[in-house]
């Protein structure tokens, strides 16, 4: 939560609105923020219990929006 002008805002809601992200994209972004390790999409799929195609699409969108950098 972020306090701004006597109101509280959820960071995820701000990111969702500002970048037009879906819930799965937010969850993946948060995973990368919380984990320093490098993961490939198959590892993410198992850890986050998402379909592999969902992970691939979300990572592609996050990369296109320059939120994450694929390597």
């Amino acid at each position: 939560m972020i306090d701004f002008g006597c109101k509280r805002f959820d960071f995820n809601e701000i990111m969702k609105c500002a970048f037009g992200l879906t819930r799965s994209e937010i969850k993946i972004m948060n995973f990368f923020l919380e984990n320093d390790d490098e993961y490939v999409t198959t590892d993410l799929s198992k850890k986050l219990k998402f379909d592999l195609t969902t992970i691939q699409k979300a990572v592609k969108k996050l990369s296109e929006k320059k939120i994450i950098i694929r390597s």
Side-chain angles (χ1 to χ4, degrees):
M1 288 289 199
I2 299 172
D3 289 329
F4 181 78
C6 300
K7 289 188 178 189
R8 301 195 104 202
F9 294 96
D10 182 41
F11 177 74
N12 291 337
E13 290 299 317
I14 294 170
M15 294 301 290
K16 186 177 176 181
C17 180
F19 292 102
L21 302 178
T22 64
R23 279 188 228 127
S24 56
E25 292 164 352
I26 291 284
K27 193 169 184 181
I28 291 167
M29 181 192 69
N30 285 333
F31 181 84
F32 283 124
L33 287 172
E34 295 168 4
N35 296 281
D36 292 335
D37 302 333
E38 292 184 24
Y39 287 89
V40 293
T41 54
T42 52
D43 293 336
L44 278 174
S45 178
K46 291 174 189 171
K47 288 213 179 251
L48 297 177
K49 298 179 181 164
F50 282 147
D51 214 34
L52 184 57
T53 55
T54 302
I55 297 287
Q56 290 169 332
K57 287 177 185 177
V59 167
K60 182 180 178 188
K61 278 184 150 182
L62 291 169
S63 178
E64 287 171 352
K65 294 178 181 190
K66 309 250 190 273
I67 295 171
I68 63 171
I69 299 171
R70 294 176 83 171
S71 59

